[in-house]
Amino acid sequence: MPIKHRLLALLVAVLWGVNFLAIHASLEHYPPFFLVALRWTLVAIPTLLFIPRPQVPIRYLVGYGMGFGLLQFLFLYWGMAEGMPPGLASLVLQSSAPFTVILAVLFTGERLGRMRIIGVILAAVGLMVVGSQRAGVEELWPFVLVVLGGLGWAFGNLASRAAKPENPLHLALWMTVVPPIPMLLVAIKWEGLERISQSLTTSLDAPWAVTGLLYTCVLGTVAGSGIWTWLLSRHPASAVAPFSMMVPVFGLSAAALVLGERINSIEFAGCVLVLIGVVVASRVGSAGKAAPVAAASTIT
């Protein structure tokens, strides 16, 4: 990859890492379930108007939207609203990579090589180490929710891979059409119309929350995914995908700088194990070839 393209890949990692701060800011004002619906609605409307629908089976488009767009972000936003620190959330969400490997074995018959097994084990041990430092119910629950978000992302990955779209960016954008209505129904049921209405009518009183929402939609989703897809169309996935492993690095760094978020030495060791496990599980196939798991479109 030319240096300019490497810098673009690094820029995407920065955008997606900082995006967790943007989510944190928007959650300071908007209820989490409604925020998921609002986020995807703001992207889905221009998508419906201006982006051609990808020619893929509807079941894969819906599956991608339900797994990647709805389940991932329902649990991620819920977990962060319950107290999961944004920097740590950016790391724990990487559980999607080993989950994708395991689900591919269970549902598609994909074979696991020795290195992939090692990678999954390392990532799982790393997550357990991080989770062990959140032993209290109030701390463990948000951790579990974000892990479930990683599982939702993994199901979305399987649907995205099965769809085999000619234009992955169009699929990523049309995925946003699926979550808004189901998430709005969930929000109305659990958060109530009064709370939702109040968050909307007082938006002008929460400029940072609105800024975070716009950042998530424009920079995190459209710009980040657009650049990432453009790079994947011009270079092997094995050359582009490793840059996604920098997302939690920037997420943790940004949270430390802006919010003063700190992790202890044991959590740090767990983070390192997770990252190593994700790299090994995502990049090495049964025959030692690069695997496509980590190259899946990432929107945070």
Side-chain angles (χ1 to χ4, degrees):
M1 288 174 63
I3 185 64
K4 289 183 179 180
H5 292 187
R6 292 175 184 270
L7 291 174
L8 281 174
L10 195 62
L11 172 62
V12 174
V14 172
L15 291 175
W16 285 340
V18 174
N19 201 36
F20 285 86
L21 287 184
I23 294 171
H24 173 78
S26 55
L27 284 169
E28 292 287 295
H29 180 73
Y30 298 101
F33 299 155
F34 175 65
L35 183 59
V36 177
L38 183 59
R39 167 192 176 156
W40 291 135
T41 298
L42 292 177
V43 181
I45 291 174
T47 295
L48 285 167
L49 293 175
F50 302 112
I51 304 298
R53 187 178 74 81
Q55 298 304 304
V56 300
I58 291 295
R59 64 182 182 276
Y60 295 138
L61 175 59
V62 173
Y64 185 30
M66 292 297 291
F68 189 93
L70 191 150
L71 292 178
Q72 176 187 189
F73 289 95
L74 182 154
F75 287 117
L76 172 63
Y77 280 39
W78 188 5
M80 291 181 66
E82 290 289 320
M84 186 67 171
L88 203 55
S90 71
L91 181 281
V92 173
L93 198 63
Q94 298 301 315
S95 60
S96 64
F99 274 140
T100 302
V101 173
I102 294 170
L103 292 178
V105 172
L106 294 176
F107 292 105
T108 69
E110 186 173 308
R111 296 178 58 189
L112 275 184
R114 182 174 60 182
M115 293 303 294
R116 272 199 170 185
I117 294 174
I118 292 173
V120 170
I121 292 173
L122 284 173
V125 170
L127 286 172
M128 286 189 288
V129 169
V130 174
S132 72
Q133 300 304 294
R134 314 188 69 78
V137 174
E138 292 184 358
E139 292 182 314
L140 183 60
W141 178 235
F143 171 82
V144 171
L145 288 172
V146 177
V147 171
L148 289 175
L151 180 60
W153 181 358
F155 277 111
N157 280 344
L158 291 191
S160 175
R161 290 173 62 183
K164 298 178 181 178
E166 292 184 6
N167 190 323
L169 180 58
H170 285 185
L171 177 64
L173 290 174
W174 267 83
M175 173 277 301
T176 67
V177 175
V178 177
I181 292 178
M183 281 308 309
L184 183 59
L185 295 175
V186 171
I188 292 172
K189 171 67 176 178
W190 296 104
E191 295 166 344
L193 284 173
E194 182 177 352
R195 186 181 176 192
I196 291 171
S197 176
Q198 184 179 19
S199 70
L200 283 175
T201 56
T202 57
S203 291
L204 293 180
D205 298 327
W208 284 111
V210 175
T211 300
L213 175 60
L214 293 177
Y215 180 102
T216 300
C217 294
V218 177
L219 297 179
T221 300
V222 179
S225 297
I227 296 171
W228 190 256
T229 304
W230 183 84
L231 289 170
L232 284 173
S233 70
R234 285 159 176 77
H235 302 285
S238 58
V240 179
F243 285 91
S244 68
M245 298 302 102
M246 295 296 292
V247 172
V249 175
F250 289 116
L252 286 163
S253 300
L257 288 172
V258 177
L259 302 176
E261 181 182 326
R262 297 289 184 269
I263 59 175
N264 62 40
S265 57
I266 296 178
E267 286 177 318
F268 179 78
C271 290
V272 172
L273 280 176
V274 171
L275 287 176
I276 294 174
V278 166
V279 171
V280 174
S282 299
R283 302 311 313 152
V284 181
S286 59
K289 296 180 180 180
V293 172
S297 177
T298 307
I299 308 175
T300 54

